[in-house]
Amino acid sequence: MSNNTSIASDDLDVLTADLDALLKEFPQKRRELHGCLGRMLQEEVNAQIAQAGFKDGGEKLKSWQEMKVGSGGGYTAVRPTKSATGSNSPGAITNYNEAGHKIRKPKAVHKGNKKYRYRPKINVPYVDGRNFYEAARRNVEAKAIQIVEEFVDELAKELEG
């Protein structure tokens, strides 16, 4: 009986060593996984911006999008650059286009003694959002699941030896 215990103990030691090696490599592998997912997501966001119907194809908006992988490698995001702040920053303009925005009413203007009010040609109170982030999120989900499954399979192969 002690012979079987010895074999099981040796197998457990090998498994423990394999797990330790895998856990040491895991943070870097997880960062690589999130980098791959981020690049795929950024490509999809750029494709959705191009299809959103902007006059210039959304080139300015696409140039503002950047992929960010978390410092611990645990998440990835595509978001506007943080080059400036305020109502005309890349983040604000991206948000206006993504979610929509209110159109301000024209002010009354005095021309001489008469009060003149500009009448706009467009009579809508709100500009609809383009929702390119949401569309990208829907389109990427199946691809992301496939990439994660491949990642898990690779980890399982490394664990098997």
Side-chain angles (χ1 to χ4, degrees), residues 17-91:
D18 289 346
L19 279 173
D20 287 343
L22 189 60
L23 288 174
K24 286 179 184 175
E25 295 176 15
F26 185 73
Q28 181 60 30
K29 290 192 176 295
R30 184 175 65 173
R31 179 176 287 284
E32 290 171 9
L33 169 69
H34 283 283
C36 180
L37 291 170
R39 286 186 295 278
M40 180 186 59
L41 185 58
Q42 186 170 19
E43 289 173 10
E44 186 62 33
V45 166
N46 287 339
Q48 291 300 322
I49 290 171
Q51 293 175 3
F54 293 103
K55 288 182 182 177
D56 68 345
E59 292 302 318
K60 182 75 132 185
L61 208 55
K62 286 192 281 189
S63 72
W64 289 337
Q65 304 307 306
E66 69 178 4
M67 181 197 69
K68 171 74 174 147
V69 176
S71 60
Y75 79 95
T76 188
V78 174
R79 61 184 181 205
T81 60
K82 293 187 176 184
S83 58
T85 59
S87 61
N88 289 326
S89 68

Side-chain angles (χ1 to χ4, degrees), residues 12-156:
L12 188 60
D13 290 341
V14 170
L15 179 62
T16 302
D18 289 346
L19 279 173
D20 287 343
L22 189 60
L23 288 174
K24 286 179 184 175
E25 295 176 15
F26 185 73
Q28 181 60 30
K29 290 192 176 295
R30 184 175 65 173
R31 179 176 287 284
E32 290 171 9
L33 169 69
H34 283 283
C36 180
L37 291 170
R39 286 186 295 278
M40 180 186 59
L41 185 58
Q42 186 170 19
E43 289 173 10
E44 186 62 33
V45 166
N46 287 339
Q48 291 300 322
I49 290 171
Q51 293 175 3
F54 293 103
K55 288 182 182 177
D56 68 345
E59 292 302 318
K60 182 75 132 185
L61 208 55
K62 286 192 281 189
S63 72
W64 289 337
Q65 304 307 306
E66 69 178 4
M67 181 197 69
K68 171 74 174 147
V69 176
S71 60
Y75 79 95
T76 188
V78 174
R79 61 184 181 205
T81 60
K82 293 187 176 184
S83 58
T85 59
S87 61
N88 289 326
S89 68
I93 293 170
T94 300
N95 188 44
Y96 303 149
N97 284 296
E98 168 69 11
H101 58 89
K102 184 177 178 181
I103 298 176
R104 105 180 148 81
K105 294 181 180 179
K107 293 182 179 179
V109 178
H110 293 280
K111 286 190 173 182
N113 292 335
K114 296 182 179 182
K115 197 173 187 183
Y116 168 76
R117 183 175 172 101
Y118 170 74
R119 304 235 185 252
K121 294 178 183 177
I122 301 173
N123 292 314
V124 294
Y126 197 82
V127 174
D128 291 330
R130 308 292 176 107
N131 300 315
F132 42 84
Y133 283 138
E134 183 60 35
R137 188 177 299 121
R138 282 192 310 266
N139 292 345
V140 163
E141 188 173 344
K143 295 176 193 173
I145 290 171
Q146 181 181 0
I147 289 174
V148 170
E149 285 176 351
E150 290 172 3
F151 175 74
V152 170
D153 290 344
E154 181 181 321
L155 287 179

